[in-house]
Amino acid sequence: MAEAKSPDLFEQVVNLSKRRGFVFPSSEIYGGFRSTYDYGPLGVLMKRNVMDAWWRAMVQQRDDIVGIDAAILMAPKVWEASGHVATFADPLVDCRKCKERWREDQIEGVCPNCGSTDLTPARPFNLMFKTHVGPVEDEGSIAYLRPETAQGIFVNFMNVLQTTRKKPPFGIAQMGKSFRNEITPGNFIFRTREFEQMEMEFFIPPVEGDTWFEYWCRERLQWYVDHGIPEDKLRLREHDAEELSHYSAGTADIEFLYPWGWGELEGVANRTDYDLTQHAKFSGEKLEYYDQATGERYVPHVIEPAAGVGRSMMAFLLAAYDEDEINGEKRTVLRLHHRLAPYQVAVLPLSKNEKLTPTAREVYDLIKPHFMTDYDETQSIGRRYRRQDEAGTPYCVTVDFESIEDKAVTIRERDTLEQVRVPIDELASMLTDRLA
Ligand code: GAP
């Protein structure tokens, strides 16, 4: 059984994220804003890579899943039909002594702030953010920021069916922002009020629920392993009956061993025909599949793997963080999967000598159309290697004085520190072989 790494690991990753431009506290010059975060120059590259890797596995490499990109604001009826208006709530209690408000299920009857047990009875608190659409702020103009991307998929079910001619089993994938007015956000980008999700609704014949549920649990777990998370830091945990969401007949969480213990990374849920049936009822539209071959008409059931972008990114960073020693000197290295690393390659002239610049720029121009490439000529070469190791860059390409004569450069590998000399005109194809 894997041990949770030291609690320091969390601090180290948070510090590295800030220091190197992965993640900044939002509105920092105003003292930050309530567990919201901004992704910096390295973070935005990595975040896009995480989303690209998901899209590649879920859409590009499959012929049974298509994508959509639905609006964040949707008809308010959507959230009545989905059950979110009535049931997407946490039970909250107020401490009568210090007036703090807590989630009842997280405090065991004692106020964590002042220790009082004089608490109000629990009241449900809906997690959806409300806003108003248009110039008048009244009951009729209320809209919600979506708390999950899934509903944009369900309400487009017939549109996708008719335009793609897909038939069950098939899936619709979507990535995008969701919003929840979480009572206890925290642990950096683990739980925030604004976050991005990567969700896929897989529509199936009703009798195939168990088979596809198991299939998607396996597939999704493997995706994290394939992208660098060790198997012993991942597990599947089935929800008990009282933990299940209002729409689910069965859910398993893919959990990661965070520094504070096991926690959810992604949920795989058997949503049955709940959502399509509800939307059919509330909209008056038929949301069914008609199988021409058998003459059968049915409401498909749905298996849903739902992942968070920030949460995945955090797990990838935590799993990749490492410290070792090179020639007696401590090195911090992010052993990120090359597809997820912000930069795949860095071009580093040996020094800032002007004789090296033209060849180094030539090499940079050659590589940058193929890979996200950094160019860095400041400070000593040793320090620049350290900076790239800390950013997780898998390959550094060093241009030295011999390069001007022999038209060759040195490739240095981040993890093995192996160095090989290669002709410049073979560089792009060699890197492609290694990074493909
Ligand atoms: N459509 C189903 C659904 O939204 P969920 O388990 O509530 O299910 C799916 O959310 C995933 O979205 C979670 O596993 C997590 O990765 C991410 N997620 C949910 N709430 C989050 C939050 N407040 N902050 C960051 N990520 C969150």
Side-chain angles (χ1 to χ4, degrees):
M1 174 63 87
E3 295 285 311
K5 284 192 192 172
S6 75
D8 292 349
L9 175 65
F10 179 65
E11 291 302 318
Q12 280 156 338
V13 167
V14 174
N15 290 342
L16 177 87
S17 297
K18 171 81 200 304
R19 179 159 48 81
R20 293 307 314 276
F22 280 89
V23 179
F24 305 127
S26 172
S27 316
E28 198 180 8
I29 59 169
Y30 291 99
F33 185 67
R34 300 173 174 234
S35 296
T36 50
Y37 292 92
D38 299 337
Y39 289 84
L42 291 185
V44 70
L45 294 176
M46 182 171 170
K47 181 154 79 81
R48 288 174 68 124
N49 290 343
V50 169
M51 294 170 87
D52 284 350
W54 184 86
W55 193 261
R56 194 181 136 84
M58 300 298 274
V59 180
Q60 186 182 332
Q61 293 189 310
R62 301 188 65 108
D63 60 7
D64 56 355
I65 302 181
V66 293
I68 64 161
D69 186 5
I72 289 173
L73 295 174
M74 303 175 75
K77 269 246 150 119
V78 168
W79 306 110
E80 285 172 39
S82 70
H84 284 82
V85 171
T87 55
F88 194 56
D90 280 341
L92 289 197
V93 295
D94 289 313
C95 171
R96 288 200 178 92
K97 191 166 165 217
C98 71
K99 312 293 179 213
E100 285 288 328
R101 183 166 283 183
W102 305 101
R103 254 176 72 171
E104 186 195 32
D105 54 341
Q106 290 182 342
I107 64 165
E108 292 175 357
V110 183
C111 172
N113 187 41
C114 69
S116 168
T117 52
D118 188 8
L119 308 172
T120 61
R123 283 170 298 129
F125 171 78
N126 196 291
L127 299 182
M128 283 196 293
F129 279 102
K130 257 187 206 168
T131 186
H132 293 270
V133 172
V136 182
E137 292 198 6
D138 62 12
E139 277 296 304
S141 66
I142 286 179
Y144 301 95
L145 301 188
R146 68 180 178 200
E148 61 170 10
T149 61
Q151 298 304 325
I153 295 177
F154 295 125
V155 300
N156 276 294
F157 172 71
M158 289 312 283
N159 282 336
V160 173
L161 202 60
Q162 282 154 6
T163 51
T164 63
R165 298 174 177 271
K166 293 280 175 210
K167 53 184 200 169
F170 82 99
I172 307 178
Q174 168 162 233
M175 309 183 291
K177 289 248 164 146
S178 291
F179 302 82
R180 294 181 192 175
N181 198 0
E182 300 279 5
I183 311 306
T184 43
N187 285 339
F188 194 42
I189 51 175
F190 177 81
R191 179 173 285 111
T192 50
R193 295 194 171 99
E194 173 181 342
F195 55 98
E196 263 154 304
Q197 290 187 305
M198 306 181 286
E199 299 198 288
M200 195 277 292
E201 310 303 319
F202 203 67
F203 299 91
I204 54 171
V207 291
E208 296 178 14
D210 290 347
T211 314
W212 285 109
F213 180 73
E214 280 161 30
Y215 171 87
W216 280 112
C217 285
R218 276 199 310 276
E219 280 290 296
R220 293 303 307 148
L221 195 79
Q222 190 59 39
W223 183 80
Y224 292 100
V225 176
D226 291 346
H227 289 86
I229 299 193
E231 263 173 88
D232 63 356
K233 295 221 157 37
L234 291 166
R235 72 175 189 190
L236 262 184
R237 187 184 65 79
E238 299 255 355
H239 281 204
D240 314 329
E242 59 278 13
E243 221 186 320
L244 290 177
S245 310
H246 60 275
Y247 51 73
S248 178
T251 296
D253 283 346
I254 297 173
E255 294 192 331
F256 175 73
L257 189 56
Y258 295 94
W260 58 87
W262 290 101
E264 180 184 347
L265 193 50
E266 166 162 354
V268 183
N270 179 353
R271 294 182 81 128
T272 65
D273 59 355
Y274 175 83
D275 301 273
L276 289 183
T277 305
Q278 285 291 102
H279 286 304
K281 199 155 90 190
F282 278 69
S283 67
E285 298 285 330
K286 271 205 172 103
L287 303 179
E288 298 172 340
Y289 174 69
Y290 174 64
D291 189 337
Q292 283 180 332
T294 62
E296 200 191 348
R297 186 180 290 284
Y298 62 87
V299 180
H301 281 217
V302 170
I303 305 299
E304 172 199 68
V309 177
R311 215 174 266 195
S312 306
M313 190 163 147
M314 189 162 167
F316 286 126
L317 284 171
L318 287 163
Y321 185 94
D322 199 9
E323 290 173 358
D324 60 7
E325 238 183 62
I326 301 176
N327 304 329
E329 215 187 291
K330 195 183 115 184
R331 152 175 105 136
T332 299
V333 52
L334 283 185
R335 300 190 193 280
L336 288 170
H337 187 281
H338 60 77
R339 231 184 247 294
L340 304 184
Y343 290 107
Q344 279 66 58
V345 185
V347 173
L348 312 176
L350 190 63
S351 69
K352 209 176 171 181
N353 188 302
E354 61 187 29
K355 284 197 191 128
L356 288 177
T357 308
T359 310
R361 298 298 303 189
E362 194 186 305
V363 170
Y364 176 56
D365 289 343
L366 197 73
I367 308 216
K368 72 179 180 203
H370 305 283
F371 310 104
M372 199 66 216
T373 308
D374 194 13
Y375 182 89
D376 187 5
E377 58 182 10
T378 57
Q379 300 184 314
S380 74
I381 187 72
R383 297 208 42 182
R384 280 179 284 149
Y385 281 146
R386 295 297 101 80
R387 278 178 67 75
Q388 294 300 333
D389 290 340
E390 228 181 26
T393 311
Y395 293 105
C396 289
V397 173
T398 314
V399 179
D400 56 28
F401 288 98
E402 276 172 45
S403 306
I404 303 167
E405 306 303 325
D406 69 359
K407 295 282 171 207
V409 289
T410 303
I411 301 181
R412 170 194 181 267
E413 209 269 335
R414 176 195 70 200
D415 294 334
T416 60
L417 301 175
E418 179 202 34
Q419 303 206 6
V420 284
R421 191 88 181 155
V422 297
I424 292 173
D425 54 13
E426 288 173 26
L427 182 61
S429 70
M430 275 195 76
L431 286 170
T432 304
D433 286 347
R434 286 165 182 243
L435 291 165

